[in-house]
């Protein structure tokens, strides 16, 4: 696929309507970080966030510990991992069973094992996810923008024909926490221009960028042509120009360009060769990774692929942790490895930062933090007699693993360490959400102090502008 | 490439970053104090060196005070950054001596900005002082109404007030708009609807000289349309959501019923605010705020949310900064925020600075003590009433100024003061603002009065102007600005043009177990009350609300039960058949309710109690309520699965009977009910002998957890089945849940207070409008409706659609384009595309 570098002219065409209008309408202006001198040198142009919504247990996935196979009558406190350890392409990095393919590309990875997320008391998934995606803990007096919205705001689209912020794989329908999820999947105070372009179902992505169902391309074009003519013919159109009118016309023009552009074919998974399609096809998440690869090639700025958060489903393993983790790992293993290889083969990995993360980890016994237990946690017997109690069923915030590839991160690098005994908490080089975000922003050439003015006060891309990039991650 | 670009293009580059705007070492572009320098000084210096803070005897309040400097010497030498101590200190390599002493060092870019500013002469806006922020007067003021200029014929007070202003500004209003433009504008502004083609025709033909006033009265008199429309405005401002964050734990309450009723009744604004602040029944949710599960930053505890929302919405001032630390955007201190929050606190609040406890305890205190005191020792209920009283007192001119400014901004597109949430900013015409505010007070805080005044003014009826200049300081009022339709206005306009109004779902009709949804029931209640005849004099209008108790076979059931099926009975004797009777019931997990052997309700969704009309099932004499109740898992029926942990079970019931409009009796579930296990014949009939059945155990009051369903289970004297008969067709956009189309068009999730919607069209919106399913479905159905209505020929159809959408006839050229779309014999596709084209036109989407 062709990758076109947008010209300045293209860019102005795309963005000026919005920005012009935003100014006139009193939308937030940039306070800090726009100055060239303050911009870090970018090592990446695109971010792909692989989101393991629901709480991925570190000791069951990327941070192997002593393996204790299931036996009736085993003590819960003895269980630190329910999977055997496996070797990877890097001698000193081990993973757990069922992540063999990711293991084979660990020589391109930086693995953080000391991600410590906020301790927000009772552990509500959507609230922690809000925190992770915006860097701010709700509730807030203003609506915080999503990581992708900030990048979209600070950097604009990479290609004007591809939305800057694309959100794949999280449907809302029928989800008991849908409103809570929507609350952070938004550009917030930055304005809807910077919000997510949502693709809940990757196989139907093409629907989002083609004429409405049942409308031929010819009719679609004729409709727009008639619209342009009608504007010309309208007696009102001649009454001088105005930013709102301009912005309406321009936004529609942009939409039509996108829907009718060759770049739109990137959304069409049916165009992917069958062999390659099948390499990714472990279900919605796997195909989301494939779509992310295609959109990276086409010029997206920020892509999030969610494994989908639904209370008690997917990574939200309150029971049968061991059994469920096996299939979850199989769901992510091949597509992630393939994504890394494909981007590398296309020469894009160096400028694409892949980040795999989750809102918190899990433990057999500890909920919250070791010294700060949470009331109302799920029942877990001290002695395990049934397989369904075998696994990591409680929410744990003291440690977590974040896997990164490309975009300037070191290769075959391990950062941070956790204890070997339950609850396997962080013991070395803790990385907070704020600092992880700062690292991502820095890699993208955005100052962690980038800020806009809202209600006459600064609002920063990392909490209070205090994010410190973890330099040790980058090489 | 170096091109001269106007300033706004430069901004654009800042905002979205393209190639270089100003390289680090290139000759710096002109630095603007307000835009570039002030934010740096404010952020990095002000905490220690502005206002009364003068660490090291150094103050940045004025240019002079910076030049004079502090204990280490002069701060700056205009024109010579290299000789300026300010620059030296911020560039210091030693973190111990470098400025700012607290927080991050300045970035290279910020230092360059400061250097350029000094080198360019350290320009400073005249009169600007970091130490004094303007404070608007609090008292109401009644300026004299100037005489209308001779021969002007102006009578509306707004026009008389504006005349001297316009003369002074050497500005003039545009011509008065045509009847059609006026009618469309005023209808959208006051009730959010497009006038129909017929109404426009009639309006144009009307020859009465005061027809515009009459039309305004007609619109304001449509209580239903007015309430539907302003519901959007107030839902935004009072962050009232039908569903969303916080409801999950019972941490949020809707005020929909109270709000709709208040708008419908045009409740006087002082009373409206009083109710909200004092937690009048139904209005509690506003100050309750959102309670998140878990530990919350102290600046966002619910009491602080209340303080922030009250100050922003009713007083036009911002406490958000001062919720973490003493503000640097206004004069509020941390203690001011906590003082106001303490009014709502059950105990004493400890003051936290940036989420760190300070050890100091907050004292109840109001921002404007000159209005009156609140007794900190009084109980919460008394305190909130005191606050509500002093805030709505006649002495508080700020309350009225804030709301008239919002109404002005709503109609005119821009406030007399901007931003509309900061009343301490200077108004463009103080007399105008103060007069309108006092006039509102003088007219019993009747918001419709102020709206009428604005809309009948010549100023409102002038040709609208585009918002050309973003520069607030240069703003001169020349007539209303062109506004963009809100999401709700647009969707309702689609309804008017296509005949496709909002679809209603069960969730919108009935609140769920988390008290989400059910907004339509709240609206129906208002409408039903309006339809009901007033109660006869002397009758007690309310009986105590009827709320059953949760019962089961044993006391522990609210915590844990083994599951299974039980049968319940209750006999009541009625002197006569009621005129109306309503029952409500729910069960964890499943129940069937019989009245006198007849099945009247069943459900297996405990979170959504069933409410039914049982009038026809009741008789004079003995009646029996009988219930088959199941707590899952039920081994007998095989229903339900074993879930982990505790397994609560319970049943709750209430019924109310009316004699005419008067509540006559009630029945609730309590220990007088009897139960047994195992099905027996005729168990649900009146003549069954329940000998040997046991008395039920009460496991808790109506609001017992884990169910917490009191609001959905309570029956009141207004709770008659007649309520559900009130029609609310057509269903307006404001009443339904947020769909993807409305979300794209800027309807917020109402987690925060929103006082102004985005007015800009964005690409994501355009995508939703171009291929989104919601709009496509509406247009498709609308097109077949138009065809089915059977226009004789294409031109007639086009003219009708034009009249409906744009309120005018097409020009010849427009007719040609339309014909090319729909063909000689109109097809559904063609009409759909024409509809799309028309509703995408700026003329349709903007309020001109």
């Amino acid at each position: 696929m062709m990758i076109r570098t947008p010209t300045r002219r293209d860019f102005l065409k795309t963005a000026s309507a919005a920005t012009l209008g935003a100014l006139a309408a009193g939308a937030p202006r940039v306070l800090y970080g726009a100055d060239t001198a303050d911009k870090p040198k970018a090592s990446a142009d695109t971010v792909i966030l692989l989101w393991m919504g629901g709480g991925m247990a570190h000791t069951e996935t990327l941070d192997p510990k002593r393996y204790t196979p299931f036996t009736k009558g085993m003590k819960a406190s003895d269980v630190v991992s329910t999977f055997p350890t496996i070797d990877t392409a890097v001698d000193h990095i081990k993973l757990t069973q069922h992540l063999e393919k990711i293991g084979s590309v660990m020589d391109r990875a930086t693995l953080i094992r000391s991600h410590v997320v906020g301790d927000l008391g009772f552990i509500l998934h959507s609230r922690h996810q809000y925190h992770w995606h915006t860097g701010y803990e709700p509730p807030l007096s203003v609506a915080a923008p999503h990581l992708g919205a900030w990048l979209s705001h600070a950097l604009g689209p990479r290609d004007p024909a591809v939305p800057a912020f694309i959100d794949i794989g999280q449907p809302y329908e029928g989800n008991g926490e849908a409103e809570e999820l929507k609350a952070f999947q938004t550009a917030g105070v930055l304005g809807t221009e910077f919000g997510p372009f949502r693709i809940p179902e990757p196989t139907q992505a093409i629907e989002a960028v083609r004429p409405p169902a049942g409308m031929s391309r010819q009719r679609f074009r004729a409709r727009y042509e008639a619209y342009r003519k009608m504007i010309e013919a309208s007696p009102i159109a001649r009454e001088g120009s105005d930013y709102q009118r301009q912005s309406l016309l321009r936004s529609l023009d942009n939409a039509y360009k996108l829907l009718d552009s060759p770049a739109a074919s990137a959304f069409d998974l049916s165009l992917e060769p069958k062999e390659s399609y099948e390499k990714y096809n472990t279900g919605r998440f796997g195909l989301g990774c494939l779509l992310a690869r295609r959109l990276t090639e086409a010029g997206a700025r920020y892509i999030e692929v969610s494994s989908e958060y639904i209370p008690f489903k997917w990574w939200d393993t309150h029971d049968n942790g061991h059994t469920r983790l096996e299939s979850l790992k199989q769901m992510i293993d091949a597509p992630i490895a393939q994504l890394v290889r494909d981007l590398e083969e296309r020469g894009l990995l160096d400028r694409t930062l892949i980040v795999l993360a989750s809102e918190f980890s899990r433990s057999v016994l500890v909920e919250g933090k070791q010294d700060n237990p949470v009331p109302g946690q799920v029942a877990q017997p001290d002695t395990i007699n049934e397989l369904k109690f075998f696994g990591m069923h409680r929410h744990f915030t003291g440690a977590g693993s974040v896997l990164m590839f490309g975009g300037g991160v070191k290769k075959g690098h391990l950062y941070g360490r956790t204890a070997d005994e339950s609850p396997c908490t962080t013991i070395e080089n803790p990385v907070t959400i704020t600092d992880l975000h700062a690292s991502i922003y820095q890699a993208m050439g955005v100052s962690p102090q980038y800020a806009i003015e809202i209600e006459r006060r600064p609002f920063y891309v990392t909490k209070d502008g205090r994010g410190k990039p973890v330099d040790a991650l980058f090489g | 490439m170096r091109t001269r670009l106007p300033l706004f293009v430069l901004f654009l580059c800042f905002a979205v970053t393209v190639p270089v705007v100003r390289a680090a070492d290139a000759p710096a572009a002109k630095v603007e104090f307000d835009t570039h320098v002030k934010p740096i000084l404010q952020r990095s210096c002000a905490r220690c060196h502005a206002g009364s803070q003068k660490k090291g005897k150094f103050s940045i309040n004025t240019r002079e005070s910076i030049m004079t400097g502090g204990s280490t010497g002069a701060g700056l030498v205009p024109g010579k950054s290299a000789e300026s101590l300010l620059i030296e200190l911020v560039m210091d390599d030693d973190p111990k001596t470098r400025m700012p002493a607290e927080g991050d060092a300045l970035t290279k870019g910020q230092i360059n900005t400061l250097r350029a500013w000094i080198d360019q002469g350290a320009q400073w806006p005249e009169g600007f002082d970091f130490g004094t922020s303007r404070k608007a007067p609090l008292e109401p003021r009644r300026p004299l109404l100037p005489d209308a200029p001779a021969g002007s014929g102006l009578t509306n007070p707004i026009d008389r007030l504006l005349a001297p202003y316009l003369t002074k500004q050497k500005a003039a209003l545009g011509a008065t708009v045509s009847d059609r433009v006026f009618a469309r504008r005023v209808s959208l502004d006051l009730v959010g609807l497009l006038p129909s083609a017929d109404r426009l025709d009639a309006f144009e033909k009307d020859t009465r000289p005061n027809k515009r006033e009459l039309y305004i009265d007609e619109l304001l008199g449509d209580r239903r349309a007015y309430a539907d429309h302003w519901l959007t405005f107030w839902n935004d401002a009072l962050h009232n959501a039908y569903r969303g964050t916080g409801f999950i734990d019972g941490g949020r309450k809707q005020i929909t019923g109270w709000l709709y009723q208040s708008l419908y009744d045009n409740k006087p604004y002082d009373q409206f605010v009083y109710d909200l602040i004092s937690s009048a029944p139904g209005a509690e949710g506003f100050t309750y705020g959102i309670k998140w599960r878990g530990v919350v930053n102290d600046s966002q505890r619910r009491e602080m949310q209340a303080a922030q929302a009250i100050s922003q919405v009713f007083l036009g001032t911002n406490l958000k900064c001062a919720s973490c630390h003493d503000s640097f955007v206004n004069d509020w201190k941390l203690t001011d925020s906590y003082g106001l929050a303490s009014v709502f606190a059950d105990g004493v609040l400890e003051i936290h600075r940036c989420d760190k406890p300070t050890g100091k305890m907050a004292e109840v205190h109001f921002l404007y003590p000159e209005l009156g005191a609140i007794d900190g020792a009084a109980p919460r209920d008394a305190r909130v009433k005191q606050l509500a009283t002093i805030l709505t007192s006649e002495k508080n001119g700020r309350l009225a100024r804030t709301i008239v400014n919002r109404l002005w901004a709503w109609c005119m597109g821009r406030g007399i003061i901007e931003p509309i949430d900061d009343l301490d900013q200077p108004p463009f015409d103080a007399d105008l603002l103060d007069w309108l505010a006092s006039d509102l007070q003088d007219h019993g805080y009747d918001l419709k009065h102020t709206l009428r005044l604005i809309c009948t003014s010549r100023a409102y009826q002038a040709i609208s102007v585009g918002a050309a200049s973003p520069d607030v300081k240069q703003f001169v009022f020349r007539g209303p600005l062109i506004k963009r339709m809100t999401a709700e206005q647009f969707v309702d306009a689609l309804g008017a043009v296509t005949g496709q109004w909002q679809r209603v779902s069960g969730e919108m009709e009935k609140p769920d177990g988390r008290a989400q949804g059910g907004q339509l029931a709240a609206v129906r209640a208002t409408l039903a009350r309006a339809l009901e005849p007033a109660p006869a004099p002397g009758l007690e209008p309310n009986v105590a609300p009827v709320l059953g108790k949760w019962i089961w076979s044993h006391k522990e059931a609210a915590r844990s039960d083994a599951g299974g099926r039980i049968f319940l009975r209750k006999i009541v004797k009625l002197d006569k058949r009621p005129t109306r009777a309503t029952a409500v019931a729910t069960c964890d997990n499943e129940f069937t309710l019989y009245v006198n052997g007849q099945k009247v309700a069943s459900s297996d969704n405990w979170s959504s109690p069933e409410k039914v009309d049982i009038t026809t099932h009741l008789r004079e004499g003995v009646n029996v309520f009988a219930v088959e109740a199941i707590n899952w898992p039920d081994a007998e029926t095989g229903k339900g699965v074993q879930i982990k942990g505790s397994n609560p079970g319970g049943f709750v019931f209430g019924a109310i009977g009316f004699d005419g409009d008067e509540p006559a009796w009630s029945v609730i579930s309590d220990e007088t009910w009897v139960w047994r296990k195992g099905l027996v014949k005729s168990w649900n009939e009146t003549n069954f002998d329940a000998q040997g059945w046991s008395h039920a155990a009460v496991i808790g009051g109506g609001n017992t957890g884990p169910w917490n369903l009191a609001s959905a289970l309570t029956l009141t004297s207004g709770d008659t089945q007649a309520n559900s008969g009130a029609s609310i067709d057509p269903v307006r956009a404001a009443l339904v849940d947020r769909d993807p189309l409305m979300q794209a068009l800027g309807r917020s999730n109402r987690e925060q207070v929103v006082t102004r919607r985005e007015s800009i069209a964005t690409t994501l919106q355009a995508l939703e409008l171009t291929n989104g399913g919601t709009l496509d479905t509406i247009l498709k159905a609308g097109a077949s409706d138009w065809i089915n209505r059977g226009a004789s020929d294409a031109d007639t159809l086009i003219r009708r659609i034009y009249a409906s959408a744009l309120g005018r006839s097409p020009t010849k050229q427009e007719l040609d384009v339309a014909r090319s779309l729909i063909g000689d014999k109109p097809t559904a596709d063609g009409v759909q595309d024409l509809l799309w084209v028309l509703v995408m036109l700026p003329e349709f989407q903007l309020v001109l």
Side-chain angles (χ1 to χ4, degrees), chain B residues 679-701:
Chain B
L679 180 63
V680 283
K681 201 165 171 254
S682 305
W683 69 280
N684 57 3
E685 309 276 354
T686 35
N687 54 7
F688 177 80
D689 182 4
Q691 208 176 7
W693 287 41
S694 317
H695 279 277
V698 170
I699 56 182

Side-chain angles (χ1 to χ4, degrees), chain B residues 519-721:
Chain B
Q519 66 267 31
L520 292 173
V523 169
R524 273 186 221 287
T526 292
L527 300 180
R529 270 192 283 275
L531 296 173
E532 264 176 39
L539 273 183
E540 189 63 43
N542 287 300
V543 286
V546 176
L547 176 58
K549 297 171 182 172
W550 285 85
I551 57 173
W552 201 250
S553 56
H554 63 98
K555 270 202 151 76
E556 296 306 305
R559 292 226 313 277
S560 188
D561 177 65
R565 181 163 65 147
I566 61 169
F567 298 86
L568 288 155
R569 276 174 65 93
K570 165 78 183 175
I571 299 271
V572 291
K573 212 169 158 187
L574 299 177
D575 295 340
K576 61 177 190 172
R577 256 185 85 175
T579 330
R580 285 197 302 275
T582 304
V584 65
T586 195
C587 179
D588 183 350
N589 294 86
E590 189 181 350
F591 79 97
T592 306
L593 170 68
Y594 302 86
V595 177
N596 297 329
Q598 303 281 312
K599 177 177 163 182
V600 296
S602 65
S603 166
D604 62 1
N605 179 6
W606 64 263
S607 67
S608 186
E610 284 290 318
K611 194 184 278 189
V612 285
D613 184 342
I614 54 169
T615 317
T616 58
H617 300 283
L618 294 170
R619 54 174 91 115
E620 191 185 320
V622 176
N623 292 267
V624 64
F625 298 101
V627 177
E628 178 182 356
I630 302 173
N631 183 28
W632 295 343
D634 177 23
E636 200 182 337
T637 59
K639 284 206 163 166
V641 289
Q642 177 68 53
I643 53 165
K644 276 193 318 284
S646 66
N647 184 38
F651 170 77
V652 60
F653 172 90
I656 185 167
F658 293 81
D659 185 6
D661 285 323
E662 191 183 10
W665 51 262
S666 64
V667 178
I668 58 166
S669 49
D670 56 18
E671 63 282 354
T672 64
W673 289 52
V674 290
W675 74 278
R676 66 161 277 146
K677 243 180 159 44
L679 180 63
V680 283
K681 201 165 171 254
S682 305
W683 69 280
N684 57 3
E685 309 276 354
T686 35
N687 54 7
F688 177 80
D689 182 4
Q691 208 176 7
W693 287 41
S694 317
H695 279 277
V698 170
I699 56 182
N703 204 35
T704 298
W707 307 290
N708 311 105
L709 284 172
S711 62
L713 286 167
T714 303
L715 296 172
T716 67
S717 58
D719 230 316
T720 69
Q721 243 354 78

Side-chain angles (χ1 to χ4, degrees), chain A residues 38 120 127 153-154 193 219 460, chain B residues 15 17 43 107 109 295 762 833:
Chain A
D38 297 341
L120 311 184
R127 188 158 174 239
H153 188 267
E193 180 71 6
R219 181 181 153 205
Y460 297 89
Chain B
T17 301
R43 171 180 182 257
T107 65
V295 179
T762 69
D833 290 351

Side-chain angles (χ1 to χ4, degrees), chain A residues 8 11-12 14-25 29-32 34-39 119-124 126-127 130 138-143 152-156 163 176-177 179-180 182-183 191-197 207-213 215 219-220 222-224 226-227 229-231 233-236 238 242-245 247-249 251-252 254-256 258-259 318-319 378-379 389 449-450 455-458 460 463-466 468, chain B residues 1 5 8-9 11-24 34-35 39-40 42-43 103-105 107-110 112-113 243-246 248-249 290 292-297 300 305 308 312 318 320-321 328-329 422 425 465-468 470 482-484 514 644-645 738 743-744 746 749 751-752 758-767 769-771 776 780 802 808 811 813-814 817-818 821 829 832-834 836-838 840-843 845-846 848:
Chain A
R8 182 188 173 77
F11 179 72
L12 286 176
T14 318
S16 56
T19 318
L20 240 172
L23 272 176
R29 65 192 171 103
V30 180
L31 276 188
Y32 310 107
D35 205 309
T36 327
D38 297 341
K39 275 188 211 136
D119 181 14
L120 311 184
F122 285 81
I123 298 184
L124 182 64
S126 45
R127 188 158 174 239
Y130 188 117
L140 293 161
S141 60
V142 294
S152 166
H153 188 267
L155 302 172
E177 285 177 51
E179 293 301 321
E180 285 83 348
K182 287 181 200 169
T192 52
E193 180 71 6
F194 307 101
F197 185 73
E207 307 290 342
V209 291
R210 74 175 171 206
M215 188 180 286
R219 181 181 153 205
F220 183 68
R223 183 176 81 165
Y224 190 56
Y227 175 75
K229 280 189 199 153
M230 204 64 102
I231 293 282
S234 166
I236 305 284
R238 284 180 228 118
D242 159 78
Y243 81 92
Q244 283 160 320
R245 185 177 292 132
S247 76
L248 276 173
L249 299 183
S251 63
L252 212 51
N254 286 339
Y256 253 84
L258 194 161
L259 298 182
H318 284 285
D319 58 18
V378 296
F389 293 117
Q449 292 186 27
Y450 183 84
E455 294 172 347
R456 296 171 62 219
R457 58 200 174 123
Y460 297 89
K463 194 180 180 198
D464 301 333
R466 292 181 196 280
K468 298 267 180 289
Chain B
M1 181 182 65
L5 292 169
F8 60 79
V9 176
F11 262 107
L12 164 115
C13 305
F14 277 110
V16 248
T17 301
V18 247
V20 181
V21 180
R22 212 164 59 229
D34 279 342
T35 315
I40 300 174
Q42 205 156 48
R43 171 180 182 257
D104 296 317
T107 65
K108 272 189 223 156
Q110 290 169 338
N112 287 340
T113 301
R243 55 186 64 250
T245 303
I248 189 170
D249 290 326
I290 302 177
W292 278 86
R293 189 191 289 176
V295 179
V296 162
N297 185 308
Q300 285 303 315
Q305 292 178 33
Q308 290 166 3
Q312 179 182 356
N318 187 333
K320 295 176 188 174
C321 260
F328 47 86
V329 304
D422 188 359
Q425 297 302 313
V465 291
I482 295 171
K483 303 182 287 283
R484 184 164 187 225
R514 297 170 175 175
K644 276 193 318 284
R738 187 172 68 142
Q743 181 176 358
N749 65 359
E751 207 162 288
Q752 285 87 16
E758 281 179 64
S759 65
I760 195 68
T762 69
T763 306
L764 285 174
Q765 290 171 359
L767 282 167
L769 294 170
T770 304
N771 78 340
D776 192 53
K780 201 169 271 167
Y802 252 85
R808 64 176 177 87
T811 63
Q813 285 158 293
E814 287 174 321
V817 181
L821 263 178
D829 283 358
Q832 185 190 344
D833 290 351
L834 176 63
W836 183 85
V837 165
L838 295 188
M840 287 304 116
L841 290 176
E843 186 185 348
Q845 295 198 9
L846 300 176
L848 297 171

